[in-house]
């Protein structure tokens, strides 16, 4: 829920600094001051000062030309995980679900156009699959995106779709807005959704929205799995009930 704040009370330079941090990505791990300025909407001189400040405080490194973020930047995200009630509350339920099913379970939320994975409980095996904590995935590619968006009203969903880039990752990826909205409506009727190789060939997912007692959505519980091991019918029979039962238990306490 957003709150209107008097602009005179805001520290504008803090917002600019955050834009500088957000300029780095998987596609842009190393940036010059000029490139950062263009991405953050700043002059080269201003961007350089912000970057040098990040270096001084231990959040970034530099070779004199290029800048990159250091692992210490993760402390900013960890502060949220340590202080937020929802991840702490859900963690033991994810662990139990992983032990029951033998699969990795996740808690995720929608942040703008992406699904962000807040928690991950690894499967009790040597090799676990799925998304690591902090991963951002385009919402039209993962089951959690469909599950969360299924709780949106039609006007809210239409506004979200208007601003989304429906990039293709596999032949199965849904790239047409109208087709995507139809699937979200189906997810609304079912109360869950399953994706089949939308972002990685051979990988599928199932998710349910995480609702509170008033019906407000706080995110999604999901599992990602190998399609070879769990064809759609098998995933629906073995994995979906565990997600639904966990969501129902959490509904009474979040």
């Amino acid at each position: 829920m957003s709150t209107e704040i008097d602009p005179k009370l805001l520290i504008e330079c803090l917002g600019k600094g955050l834009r500088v941090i957000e300029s780095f990505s998987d596609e842009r791990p190393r940036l010059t001051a000029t490139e950062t300025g263009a991405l953050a909407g700043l002059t080269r001189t201003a961007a350089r000062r912000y970057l040098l400040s990040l270096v001084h405080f231990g959040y970034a490194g530099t070779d004199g030309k290029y800048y990159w973020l250091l692992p210490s930047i993760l402390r900013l995200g960890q502060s949220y995980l340590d202080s937020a009630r929802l991840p702490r509350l859900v963690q033991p339920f994810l662990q139990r679900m992983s032990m029951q099913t033998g699969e990795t379970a996740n808690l995720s939320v929608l942040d703008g156009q992406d699904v962000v994975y807040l928690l991950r409980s690894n499967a009790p095996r040597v090799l676990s699959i799925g998304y690591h904590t902090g991963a951002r995935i385009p919402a039209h590619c993962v089951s959690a995106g469909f599950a969360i968006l299924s709780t949106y009203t039609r006007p809210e969903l239409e506004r979200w779709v208007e601003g989304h880039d429906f990039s293709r990752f596999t032949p199965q990826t849904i790239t047409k807005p109208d087709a995507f909205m139809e699937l979200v409506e189906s997810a609304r009727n079912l109360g869950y959704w399953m994706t089949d190789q939308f972002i990685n060939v051979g990988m599928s997912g199932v998710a349910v929205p995480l609702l509170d007692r008033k019906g407000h959505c706080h995110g999604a519980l999901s599992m990602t799995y190998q399609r070879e091991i769990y064809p759609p019918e098998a995933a629906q029979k073995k994995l979906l009930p565990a997600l639904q039962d966990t969501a129902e238990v959490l509904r009474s306490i979040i």
Side-chain angles (χ1 to χ4, degrees):
M1 180 173 57
S2 60
T3 302
E4 291 295 332
I5 299 176
D6 186 344
K8 293 184 292 185
L9 299 177
L10 301 179
I11 302 176
E12 187 176 353
C13 61
L14 175 59
K16 293 178 180 179
L18 294 173
R19 294 206 303 272
V20 167
I21 294 173
E22 292 176 344
S23 298
F24 294 89
S25 67
D26 183 50
E27 295 80 16
R28 301 184 297 268
R30 293 163 60 91
L31 295 171
T32 65
T34 300
E35 291 169 338
T36 304
L39 291 166
L42 303 171
T43 64
R44 177 192 177 279
T45 301
R48 182 172 180 271
R49 291 183 63 189
Y50 282 106
L51 289 166
L52 289 174
S53 296
L54 289 172
V55 172
H56 173 74
F57 290 112
Y59 289 110
T62 183
D63 60 5
K65 178 180 179 181
Y66 287 96
Y67 298 83
W68 55 88
L69 297 181
L70 295 177
S72 53
I73 201 76
L74 294 173
R75 293 201 298 263
L76 301 179
Q78 189 62 44
S79 295
Y80 165 76
L81 293 177
D82 291 342
S83 63
R85 175 175 176 268
L86 183 64
R88 289 185 283 112
L89 184 65
V90 172
Q91 182 65 59
F93 293 92
L94 286 187
Q95 292 173 340
R96 185 175 66 180
M97 189 160 46
S98 291
M99 293 301 296
Q100 289 175 340
T101 63
E103 298 300 322
T104 299
N106 301 282
L107 166 69
S108 56
V109 296
L110 188 66
D111 182 24
Q113 301 298 305
D114 298 330
V115 166
V116 179
Y117 289 82
L118 299 183
L119 285 178
R120 169 188 169 107
S121 182
N122 289 336
R125 60 163 72 112
V126 175
L127 179 63
S128 296
I129 62 174
Y131 304 106
H132 60 81
T133 300
R136 303 181 68 95
I137 309 295
H140 73 287
C141 296
V142 287
S143 56
F146 287 83
I148 296 172
L149 288 167
S150 72
T151 68
Y152 278 32
T153 65
R154 183 73 182 192
E156 289 172 339
L157 178 60
E158 290 175 349
R159 287 194 295 272
W160 186 91
V161 167
E162 286 177 1
H164 191 68
D165 176 18
F166 287 88
S167 299
R168 181 180 296 279
F169 294 88
T170 74
Q172 284 72 38
T173 305
I174 303 300
T175 59
K176 295 183 178 180
D178 289 344
F180 176 79
M181 291 182 67
E182 288 182 10
L183 294 182
V184 172
E185 291 294 340
S186 296
R188 189 198 313 277
N189 294 330
L190 291 171
Y192 69 90
W193 196 247
M194 303 174 69
T195 53
D196 187 13
Q197 307 179 94
F198 280 11
I199 192 166
N200 295 114
V201 174
M203 303 299 294
S204 299
V206 57
V208 298
L210 182 58
L211 307 175
D212 62 21
R213 283 169 288 185
K214 296 182 179 179
H216 299 147
C217 183
H218 293 261
L221 302 179
S222 65
M223 293 184 186
T224 302
Y225 48 88
Q226 293 177 301
R227 193 184 193 282
E228 181 181 4
I229 298 176
Y230 289 104
E233 299 80 7
Q236 188 175 27
K237 182 178 180 180
K238 180 177 179 181
L239 304 182
L240 178 59
L243 289 166
Q244 292 174 322
D245 291 346
T246 302
E248 187 61 29
V249 172
L250 285 167
R251 182 168 189 163
S252 63
I253 59 178
I254 61 175

